[in-house]
Amino acid sequence: MHSERIAYLGPAGTFTETALAGILAARMSGDRVGDVDRDHGDVDRDGDVDRDHGDVDRDGDVDRVPMATVGRCFEAVRRGEVDAAVVPIENSVEGGVNATLDALSASDPPLVIVAEHLVPVTFVLGATAGTRLEDVRRVASHPHAEAQCRAWLSDHLPGVVVEPAMSTAAAAAGLAHYSPAYDAAICAPAAAERYRLIVLAEDIGDRPATTRFVAVRLPGAVPQPTGRDRTSVVAYLRENHAGALLELLEQFAARGVDLTRIESRPTGAGFGEYCFSIDLDGHIREPRVAEALKGLHRLSPLTRFLGSYPRADGASSRVPGWAGAGGFTAAEQWLEGLLED
Amino acid sequence: MHSERIAYLGPAGTFTETALAGILAARMSGDRVGDVDRDHGDVDRDGDVDRDHGDVDRDGDVDRVPMATVGRCFEAVRRGEVDAAVVPIENSVEGGVNATLDALSASDPPLVIVAEHLVPVTFVLGATAGTRLEDVRRVASHPHAEAQCRAWLSDHLPGVVVEPAMSTAAAAAGLAHYSPAYDAAICAPAAAERYRLIVLAEDIGDRPATTRFVAVRLPGAVPQPTGRDRTSVVAYLRENHAGALLELLEQFAARGVDLTRIESRPTGAGFGEYCFSIDLDGHIREPRVAEALKGLHRLSPLTRFLGSYPRADGASSRVPGWAGAGGFTAAEQWLEGLLED
Amino acid sequence: MHSERIAYLGPAGTFTETALAGILAARMSGDRVGDVDRDHGDVDRDGDVDRDHGDVDRDGDVDRVPMATVGRCFEAVRRGEVDAAVVPIENSVEGGVNATLDALSASDPPLVIVAEHLVPVTFVLGATAGTRLEDVRRVASHPHAEAQCRAWLSDHLPGVVVEPAMSTAAAAAGLAHYSPAYDAAICAPAAAERYRLIVLAEDIGDRPATTRFVAVRLPGAVPQPTGRDRTSVVAYLRENHAGALLELLEQFAARGVDLTRIESRPTGAGFGEYCFSIDLDGHIREPRVAEALKGLHRLSPLTRFLGSYPRADGASSRVPGWAGAGGFTAAEQWLEGLLED
Amino acid sequence: MHSERIAYLGPAGTFTETALAGILAARMSGDRVGDVDRDHGDVDRDGDVDRDHGDVDRDGDVDRVPMATVGRCFEAVRRGEVDAAVVPIENSVEGGVNATLDALSASDPPLVIVAEHLVPVTFVLGATAGTRLEDVRRVASHPHAEAQCRAWLSDHLPGVVVEPAMSTAAAAAGLAHYSPAYDAAICAPAAAERYRLIVLAEDIGDRPATTRFVAVRLPGAVPQPTGRDRTSVVAYLRENHAGALLELLEQFAARGVDLTRIESRPTGAGFGEYCFSIDLDGHIREPRVAEALKGLHRLSPLTRFLGSYPRADGASSRVPGWAGAGGFTAAEQWLEGLLED
């Protein structure tokens, strides 16, 4: 018997690691989060799949494997090197995480989402022991984090120079591991703790933000509907004509299906060639959702189903009265009655 | 064994009788017209159902029974007094025949259309022997016919007084049966012939017109698809809100179904309360049509199916590539594959 | 000085005459009904325009001129023989009055609606003095009226034969003027009174019905908005393709304009060639309505404006917040600001 | 007199610098690219605005000022420190550049786009002199560039470790300036040249890609229409209800305006709260575009106009016949005629 291995977008100390912990905790409590199937064949545990980007943490019988990019996380899942991967998909301030959206659309064999988790994103200003706020002249962070802390920086560190870093955790790690050309890092509380930084200021974000993370694995049995589900799909326009997006949206409207996220992504074939990454309210086992998905598939066989899974916010589906399962059954029986006569 | 009895909107000599003959001829030739089921139980042939409005003509083993109103035709079908009824449903100049549209929507038990026939509508000016065109001072006709011959009347009979009649055939019959207060009748060629009138002028309509007639019977097996079919349906708005008609049309657009006729009819519940009498291109046994009908039924369980039958104009269905039966099968298999995993 | 002449769809004793009286009364009271402009040039009063269909009633300084058809009413307006015409346009049970809808669409020069009036439609069973209900064997009426009284007839006169007549008033007049082949007439209370019939039964309609009448004249100044207005228009599809009706409805939806009636009418060019007779909520002087009308005109220059006038039901316009006049002014100023920079 | 200063997303050697050169060349040739207004007040040239991220290049009378982030480029424009800024907005493979989209939406005072330029994106593998392809064990690049070269890496450098860098130019600069932990960099040809690297392999991208760059400045006179224009706008949903996106798209469809790009961006107010960054085909001085923009403004006064400017691809606008300027003029005159009567 092998222990479960779950990849995540590293390094350790980012919000993704927090999300992974949350998903595991929810699973333990039997609560609302789809079980990440652990019996996906026999996995070779010999090689550390991503030796350069962090150490594997063992926690109970789960190995948490940090990886450098979303693409590598998904590759590891596809190769069976890990059982699942946890990656960010959307931030309430920054929007969709393109690397994740594109890797989900493009991957072959396909991957599906089996759970999601929300992590409030807060930032601290971390530094090495002995640094005082008034000494800080240069700060490092990821540009997204800088953007979310702009007002605080302007108020408390006017004139500070901000150095871009690959991730907030990398900025924090730099302070810990060598003597970089900056004095402080904007990072997650978890990163400050991991790299043993002192916290010069807490909660320095200009406004509350949340990141949504998803657990992804190879296709298997779709989790059962809970009445509070989300379904993710990549939809393609039938052709690149005016009105094609209206046509696509009609497939949802005509079945009473509401969207919770829609983002255009280039197909790579040239400017103006889009597909749409869509989250919708409902589960593939609800007839209104199944019918809408089949409609998308008729518009384009490239349509990709990315999973039905419980919503982390616990919100119940809003189903118009006419689009409930009862209406589908009644319509089916009516039609059969007409043809039987 | 009883002979078949078919009611039609009389009196004899109207275009409806011509349509009935056409439908019977098409059936004999095995051509394109749905078989009017003749084995609908045992019918009491004693009473002449509509003694006042014309005589029953026996032609081969078909009795043709003229009736005074569309409503009576349908009542006779529903009671089993006749096997089918032929009535006008739409004129290319005058529009839908409301009496027919409403009687089809409202009838209980429901009736269905099994065949349609097109009759070019032409008008003659008929009179009793001895009348000359220059003697005509007063003309009788149905107001619709008068409207379609207005230019001819103005050119050839300026100043003539036009007397409204219940039907063009009634105007002709009046000349034959008593001495009415008019000198000539605008009527169908068949009526002039039947009532032994002389024809003072032929083809006096201002522009070509065609009337579509339908054969209606009690529900039975739906005729098989021919690839050139029409389906009739009465659709109801989900609620009387702005945009409800858009919502209804989306049910067709989302399945690639084209409409050939749409007419609003009041439900009788008050101003602004409509249902829609709709003809669409296709057959209930095509999945795109079946799905659209089920969608209408979900919006309102009052939706009424009025039959799928071959188009009299022989035009092939225009099916967008993505809405063909193959696309439906492929989408169904795709969805099943997703759920089986 | 000449007195005003108003044509109406006769004969006297129909509901149209009641509507005309209502429109005149509303005008006298200064209430809610657009003034029917009486100063439309000098009118030749010599000839009785429609000698055959009833007598002109003089009431105060208004001559009421009954005419046999809607077409003749409109011709008289166009020729200046009358100042206005009152005709039925819609019945809550029977739907649009096609003769009126088509004559409004087609007339050249155009006519416009300046006022509307609602008349509850009730039916009585009238007969000559001495007739008892139990003696009635044959009843005459217009088929629409028969349809609306079917349940009463079935309950109180089972087996009665119903004779079709050109109008309910004509059925009543027949009893008064000669000895017809029927014993009683289904007609309006006003007709029974006019033709001095006794009333064998009152209010015999199966359910309440209302007819909407309109006063029509030559184009002139559009009445000022009242906040409770209706606008009538005939709209044409851009081309006869699938989705053209959706395209037309978008012109309204995109400006927050609600429809209160939409009826398809054939253009006469062949089956499947429609225009749409539309009533909308609002006044041409409201920017949202003006913009929607201009949008229709761009889709087809055949678009015909048929008037903005106060609603007889007194209902206030339902204007979405974003579509109010303030939003239009703000958007205009915003755009001008962008271009001025 | 001061020379013109134009900021760009640095460092030198990225594709953005190439785009800036292209925009300046197009302006010199009087060709198709909106003039970047150079007389924007008196600018203090004392401070190097972004001392840390590269040197200002003087070329003729234009100073090219590299900056570290899009946000800083825009701040410099807003403060009058530079006359304009050139930044990437969209890549045919990677999609919209969120930093640019968000900075354009959010900036206050607003900025507008005055020109665009397309740069084909090609990658080389650069290294320091003496390095051979077979020696390469570790490669550095921006993850987007790595993603676009994945097939080449897998074929020619199987097993290579890829190190993420802040930009392709930063990866190249690292090789030039210090001894990093990697042997080669995936970068633009211009970066290899600038940092005097040898090129181990050319054109290593898996498929052709193009990046679109825009020149942005403070609002001023909108460039005149050329018949081949694009307009950029940020549109907000009226409310966060189902169908709100359909409602927004109707504003374009109802005026015959085609979209060339639509991307959802979070408003920051929470998950599911979006605005849409939209490029459309046409110019604000065309009435169909002006009307669509006003429609968006009515749906939400937050709507932001981001400029009308010539398309770099030179494609002519596709205007449906009914949506041309002539149709707008005719509709306007028609409406005025109706109201004048």
Side-chain angles (χ1 to χ4, degrees), chain C residues 133-194:
Chain C
L133 186 57
E134 55 267 38
D135 299 332
V136 175
R137 295 286 172 272
R138 305 177 82 96
V139 164
S141 196
H142 188 272
H144 283 187
E146 177 198 352
Q148 293 183 45
C149 300
R150 189 167 294 154
W152 188 91
L153 288 172
S154 166
D155 287 352
H156 297 87
L157 292 173
V160 75
V161 173
V162 182
E163 195 73 31
M166 274 307 293
S167 71
T168 55
L175 288 174
H177 295 156
Y178 58 101
S179 293
Y182 52 88
D183 317 308
I186 297 173
C187 61
E193 189 180 351
R194 179 171 198 101

Side-chain angles (χ1 to χ4, degrees), chain A residues 125 133 135-140 146 150 152-154 156-163 183-184 186, chain D residues 52 72:
Chain A
L125 187 68
L133 185 57
D135 299 333
V136 175
R137 295 288 171 272
R138 305 179 81 94
V139 164
E146 179 199 350
R150 189 166 295 154
W152 187 91
L153 289 172
S154 167
H156 297 87
L157 291 173
V160 75
V161 172
V162 182
E163 196 72 32
D183 315 308
I186 298 173
Chain D
D52 302 309
R72 292 186 199 178

Side-chain angles (χ1 to χ4, degrees), chain B residues 52 72 90 92-95 161-162 164-166 207 210 242 246 258 260-268 271 274, chain C residues 52 72 90 92-95 161-162 164-166 210 242 246 258 260-268 271 274:
Chain B
D52 303 310
R72 293 186 198 177
E90 182 184 16
S92 65
V93 171
E94 295 299 324
V161 172
V162 183
M166 273 309 290
R207 54 177 164 175
T210 306
L246 273 164
D258 203 3
T260 61
R261 183 181 58 85
I262 176 166
E263 301 197 64
S264 63
R265 295 297 307 145
T267 62
F271 285 120
Y274 297 108
Chain C
D52 301 310
R72 293 186 198 176
E90 184 185 15
S92 64
V93 171
E94 295 298 324
V161 173
V162 182
M166 274 307 293
T210 307
L246 273 165
D258 204 4
T260 59
R261 182 181 59 86
I262 176 167
E263 300 197 64
S264 63
R265 295 298 306 146
T267 63
F271 285 122
Y274 296 108

Side-chain angles (χ1 to χ4, degrees), chain B residues 109-130:
Chain B
L111 300 176
V112 293
I113 300 170
V114 292
E116 70 175 21
H117 196 73
L118 302 177
V119 177
V121 174
T122 57
F123 296 106
V124 299
L125 188 68
T128 47

